[in-house]
Amino acid sequence: MPEQRILVVDDDEGVRWALSRALERAGYRVGLATDGPAGEAAASDPGVDLVLLDIRLPGRDGLAVLAAIREARPELPVIMMTAHGTLQAAVEAMKQGAYDYLGKPFDLDEVLLVVEKALRASALADEVARLRQNVEAPVERSGIVGASAAMQQIFKAVGKVADTELTVLLRGESGTGKELIARALHENSRRRGRPFVPINCAAIPRDLLESELFGHEKGAFTGAASGRRGRFEQAVGGTVFLDEIGDMDLGLQAKLLRVLQERRIERLGGEGSVAVDARIVAATNQDLDAAVLRRAFREDLFYRLNVVTIHLPPLRDRREDIPALADHFLAGFAADQQTEAKIVSPDAQALLGAYDWPGNVRELENVVKRAAALAVTILILPDHLPEALRRRSTARDAGSAEPFPAAWLKQELARLQGSRDGKLREHFVGCLERSLLTLVLRRTGGNQVKAAELLGINRNTLRKRLKELDVFPPDRG
Ligand SMILES: Nc1ncnc2c1ncn2[C@@H]1O[C@H](COP(=O)(O)OP(=O)(O)OP(=O)(O)O)[C@@H](O)[C@H]1O
Ligand SMILES: [Mg+2]
């Protein structure tokens, strides 16, 4: 632990001398200030961990200095020192957020005690703040997972172009997260708070798509009983996301090109045009270059859209993201179901890692959620994964599968037991241990002797833990 620094602010030389001697002997480093303004300036140094502050000071009154410190560094503990007759001031100091106060003349042992207590309380507050920050990691907030180098590149690209007006084309196989990135572009732009308007060009028949995009006037076509604003108009100030743009037919492509060039739209059956204020993000899972060569996609539109391209890699090319993605979906599922998040056992994890994921992240999401629903204990096992995943790996590394992942569970328990956050530790260790015991007992048909043997623990220890954790042997009734 680094030496802690204490600032003493007092105009009385005798007090400064006595305090610094006692504090230095106790192992602290001491800084001194003799009046209010100097004390306030010295306290702004982030190296200072605690302030001992006299109430009666020349230049600026101690209470005013206290207020300034509380404002600038609310986390810094301040202990006030008061002489006789200023008790009222001491009360006022406490109200203003001083950590404590000491009456003069003081007992140096008491000073040390109060200082130590204050420093400990402040360290605890720091720790809580740090933990809270960890819990609210930025990835969690945006809901996009990706520690792989490939995804980090993409996050950088998003950061660079999000707050521009540039048209962005997102390319990548189905389920790689194109829509998620499109939303991230919108959320990180000045247009956030305005509408994000997605439209799936593949899902809507051609005739309807045109009126969906550009809107129509009443009576523009049979069935148009009333006028309607199109998606471009709905997006005022926001972002239009043209999904599956590769599926748009050539006639509409020409109209879209005009919109992009002129930034104006014409409603179907309407007269005159309306200005468009929307940022365009488009996506496709098709090979647009090939479509251009086949003349199925207009070259000029392709260049208009392709100002910035972000290519989302298939999941099989960034397998290192699989465990974090699985945890992310399990946490989401658990929150929806208001249950504990399940844990992927190592042999199930190996299967997830070996599979090729033709449906990419979307497929992983479905597989993991289904497994979470099927798993009876907190553990997701190979049995809970679809046939297609299991088939592949039996061919690959048959025989390596353990009857149950006891070794891993033990290792995981040890890891959690070493965790610093007591509450979290207790919770997870309890869950894990309970599921381990339940699992093993199920395997042994409720036979505790066999279970203890498998776990490598004493039978009485097992019985005691079963009772403590409220685990009832299954298959008894
Ligand atoms: N990096 C990621 N982190 C967290 N969730 C992700 C990530 N990538 C994709 N997902 C999730 O996977 C699912 C599929 O993603 P999305 O719909 O964005 O893919 P897509 O590329 O648009 O797919 P498609 O081409 O099939 O429309 C969504 O539920 C999305 O939230
Ligand atoms: Mg999509």
Side-chain angles (χ1 to χ4, degrees):
M1 186 143 180
E3 245 178 304
Q4 288 176 300
R5 272 174 60 186
I6 295 173
L7 173 67
V8 175
V9 188
D10 201 307
D11 56 331
D12 182 331
E13 195 183 347
V15 170
R16 290 200 304 271
W17 181 81
L19 281 176
S20 49
R21 213 175 62 132
L23 290 166
E24 273 166 3
R25 276 194 182 161
Y28 299 109
R29 271 172 59 198
V30 179
L32 299 171
T34 55
D35 62 29
E40 189 183 325
S44 68
D45 176 348
V48 170
D49 298 301
L50 182 143
V51 183
L52 283 165
L53 179 62
D54 191 15
I55 281 200
R56 273 209 204 133
L57 280 172
R60 197 165 180 200
D61 164 51
L63 283 178
V65 177
L66 172 66
I69 294 176
R70 297 285 306 153
E71 166 109 18
R73 296 188 55 194
E75 81 293 350
L76 182 64
V78 179
I79 298 168
M80 303 302 287
M81 301 182 288
T82 64
H84 281 307
T86 50
L87 201 67
Q88 194 47 48
V91 171
E92 191 51 39
M94 294 304 283
K95 272 202 224 151
Q96 284 192 24
Y99 177 77
D100 207 341
Y101 67 88
L102 298 160
K104 284 183 191 172
F106 31 64
D107 171 8
L108 286 173
D109 285 337
E110 194 199 342
V111 173
L112 290 177
L113 218 68
V114 171
V115 163
E116 197 187 307
K117 226 171 71 188
L119 286 171
R120 224 181 303 126
S122 128
L124 194 69
D126 281 355
E127 179 71 5
V128 169
R130 198 184 55 76
L131 280 171
R132 191 163 295 147
Q133 227 168 33
N134 280 354
V135 170
E136 293 161 7
V139 173
E140 280 306 314
R141 239 177 292 146
S142 65
I144 305 180
V145 176
S148 61
M151 286 308 286
Q152 290 296 315
Q153 276 310 108
I154 283 165
F155 296 162
K156 269 189 213 156
V158 168
K160 259 191 221 154
V161 300
D163 207 9
T164 68
E165 291 292 298
L166 298 175
T167 299
V168 178
L169 179 63
L170 300 169
R171 303 179 71 170
E173 290 178 14
S174 164
T176 46
K178 296 184 293 294
E179 179 151 358
L180 205 60
I181 294 295
R183 285 181 193 276
L185 284 167
H186 176 70
E187 288 305 324
N188 289 287
S189 76
R190 249 161 298 178
R191 294 174 176 272
R192 105 181 56 103
R194 295 310 191 109
F196 175 86
V197 182
I199 180 157
N200 187 330
C201 305
I204 302 171
R206 190 228 176 266
D207 296 332
L208 277 182
L209 183 58
E210 183 168 2
S211 94
E212 273 295 320
L213 285 172
F214 309 124
H216 60 254
E217 298 294 351
K218 185 176 171 187
F221 51 85
T222 356
S226 58
R228 190 170 188 280
R229 291 186 311 149
R231 299 290 170 104
F232 279 102
E233 272 183 87
Q234 288 168 22
V236 272
T239 301
V240 172
F241 176 48
L242 299 167
D243 203 359
E244 314 290 3
I245 188 93
D247 292 290
M248 187 179 269
D249 86 8
L250 281 164
L252 257 188
Q253 285 178 30
K255 292 194 173 171
L256 178 62
L257 178 68
R258 210 171 319 124
V259 173
L260 295 184
Q261 282 167 342
E262 292 164 15
R263 294 267 148 195
R264 300 189 74 79
I265 52 151
E266 278 166 44
R267 285 184 177 180
L268 255 70
E271 286 161 21
S273 61
V274 192
V276 170
D277 173 18
R279 202 260 184 97
I280 311 294
V281 176
T284 182
N285 55 17
Q286 295 198 16
D287 182 351
L288 273 196
D289 310 69
V292 167
L293 286 180
R294 291 203 303 279
R295 302 202 176 278
F297 202 86
R298 289 182 69 111
E299 193 173 10
D300 43 11
L301 178 60
F302 177 65
Y303 286 118
R304 269 277 159 186
L305 294 172
N306 199 20
V307 180
V308 175
T309 296
I310 297 180
H311 208 114
L312 284 144
L315 188 56
R316 63 184 167 281
D317 289 348
R318 46 177 164 115
R319 292 181 193 273
E320 62 268 44
D321 284 340
I322 292 174
L325 280 166
D327 282 348
H328 170 73
F329 295 131
L330 287 171
F333 184 71
D336 288 347
Q337 308 280 309
Q338 304 197 337
T339 57
E340 282 151 358
K342 306 218 164 167
I343 298 170
V344 183
S345 74
D347 34 5
Q349 194 72 261
L351 296 182
L352 296 183
Y355 185 58
D356 269 345
W357 301 109
N360 294 294
V361 184
R362 188 196 309 288
E363 187 181 10
L364 174 66
E365 180 175 7
N366 292 337
V367 163
V368 161
K369 287 191 172 163
R370 175 177 170 274
L374 290 175
V376 190
T377 68
I378 202 170
L379 268 194
I380 291 178
L381 302 170
D383 284 355
H384 304 131
L385 300 177
E387 183 65 33
L389 272 78
R390 279 180 286 145
R391 206 175 27 229
R392 287 196 95 258
S393 90
T394 30
R396 239 198 207 185
D397 46 21
S400 77
E402 270 188 85
F404 65 90
W408 171 79
L409 273 167
K410 276 190 196 160
Q411 181 191 317
E412 198 65 0
L413 267 172
R415 186 176 69 79
L416 287 166
Q417 270 156 353
S419 153
R420 289 178 63 191
D421 184 342
K423 253 215 169 122
L424 212 68
R425 182 174 62 224
E426 218 169 277
H427 175 75
F428 278 115
V429 168
C431 290
L432 212 61
E433 208 176 336
R434 201 174 292 123
S435 71
L436 172 64
L437 299 182
T438 312
L439 193 69
V440 175
L441 281 169
R442 183 164 320 134
R443 292 284 156 95
T444 64
N447 184 326
Q448 294 186 16
V449 179
K450 258 197 223 157
E453 217 167 86
L454 277 173
L455 287 161
I457 58 172
N458 184 294
R459 191 180 143 192
N460 293 326
T461 313
L462 174 66
R463 199 170 286 146
K464 189 164 146 264
R465 283 308 276 162
L466 290 176
K467 222 171 139 195
E468 280 168 0
L469 292 167
D470 247 356
V471 180
F472 295 104
D475 306 333
R476 269 200 312 200

